[in-house]
Amino acid sequence: MIPLTSSLLYLDDVHVAFDGFKAINGLSLIIEPGEMRAIIGPNGAGKTTMLDIITGKTKPDSGDVLFEGGLDLTEKDETEIALAGIGRKFQKPTVFESQTVRENIELALAGSRNILASILYQEGEEDYERITHILETIRLDHRAEELAADLSHGQKQWLEIGMLLAQDPKLLLVDEPVAGMTDAETVETAKLLRDIARTRSVIVVEHDMSFIR
Ligand code: ADP
Ligand code: MG
């Protein structure tokens, strides 16, 4: 039976084991619209596995995983879950190095449309403004015309977050964003994730205590 919930994300008593090893053992978690949640745990604690369950990459052995009250995520594949409004940032950044920073966001925006719409796509004023706003959010508006290859590792992480924002997710999942970042980038990452959480929900998993603080 599916429980009634008005929460954006609802996990109840989720279990998953790999060859008998209990990676997640009775996890329950509720995220409301507009909430920012940081989840901390040491390496091997099951943080990435939790994100794999939410995004449909791993199916739990038991437990409920619901999105927006009624959508049973355990029955959906990764594409369906992404289309439902869950965006995921993996640990390693994957940006188009040979494109400019702005072009990376443009590609993500075009890619979020259907095929016919992206063939017919011509960037209008509205999209230009939207991309500019995303570039401001990810602190890269001053680097817009530079190649993504020339960004620092931390800035590439931000660019990838921007590419996810172009898809306008209701829930953004971010896996250990500050690994390999400078102290200044780490502080800025905490701020930019807070900015993002003003218009959507954010779950960030980390093992870096100073970032969580
Ligand atoms: P974290 O992200 O907190 O470091 P993970 O979720 O990556 O932790 O891993 C939790 C545990 O589950 C680890 O012991 C890991 O080796 C194991 N694990 C994760 N994914 C798989 C998998 N697909 N197959 C087997 N074991 C896995
Ligand atoms: Mg991990």
Side-chain angles (χ1 to χ4, degrees):
M1 208 189 79
I2 302 241
L4 276 178
T5 166
S6 63
S7 303
L8 184 69
L9 182 71
Y10 175 96
L11 272 71
D12 186 46
D13 202 23
V14 170
H15 292 255
V16 62
F18 300 111
D19 295 327
F21 173 79
K22 290 178 182 167
I24 292 196
N25 195 11
L27 173 70
S28 297
L29 173 74
I30 291 179
I31 305 289
E32 301 298 344
E35 186 176 351
M36 158 116 190
R37 181 77 62 89
I39 293 171
I40 189 153
N43 283 331
K47 303 182 297 296
T48 298
T49 303
M50 176 186 77
L51 300 185
D52 288 344
I53 288 169
I54 297 168
T55 54
K57 192 174 176 201
T58 296
K59 296 298 169 195
D61 300 324
S62 62
D64 294 319
V65 186
L66 300 174
F67 188 58
E68 295 196 295
L71 188 68
D72 182 354
L73 296 183
T74 67
E75 304 266 294
K76 303 288 170 192
D77 66 30
E78 289 182 78
T79 308
E80 290 169 322
I81 292 172
L83 289 173
I86 299 182
R88 175 179 194 177
K89 162 83 187 73
F90 285 90
Q91 275 173 257
K92 275 198 178 148
T94 47
V95 300
F96 301 105
E97 302 258 341
S98 60
Q99 307 292 315
T100 68
V101 169
R102 176 174 279 276
E103 283 164 348
N104 268 271
I105 307 287
E106 281 170 353
L107 285 165
L109 191 64
S112 70
R113 301 195 160 100
N114 67 44
I115 291 175
L116 184 63
S118 56
I119 291 168
L120 300 174
Y121 178 67
Q122 276 205 312
E123 188 176 299
E125 184 78 8
E126 206 175 294
D127 284 337
Y128 188 88
E129 294 296 323
R130 201 169 146 226
I131 292 167
T132 301
H133 180 67
I134 290 172
L135 291 170
E136 287 165 1
T137 302
I138 59 170
R139 279 68 169 159
L140 291 177
D141 44 320
H142 63 295
R143 307 288 302 267
E145 306 311 327
E146 292 175 49
L147 291 183
D150 295 334
L151 298 177
S152 72
H153 167 78
Q155 290 169 326
K156 284 178 190 170
Q157 298 278 21
W158 296 346
L159 178 55
E160 199 180 358
I161 290 172
M163 293 165 76
L164 289 166
L165 291 178
Q167 292 155 36
D168 200 20
K170 293 168 188 161
L171 173 63
L172 183 65
L173 309 175
V174 191
D175 198 347
E176 303 207 9
V178 304
M181 282 192 183
T182 64
D183 288 352
E185 285 172 341
T186 298
V187 168
E188 208 54 38
T189 300
K191 286 189 197 154
L192 81 82
L193 289 174
R194 279 218 187 97
D195 289 348
I196 290 168
R198 284 207 284 257
T199 52
R200 63 200 80 235
S201 301
V202 177
I203 299 178
V204 50
V205 303
E206 253 303 337
H207 72 271
D208 182 324
M209 271 307 279
S210 60
F211 171 77
I212 299 292
R213 272 192 217 103

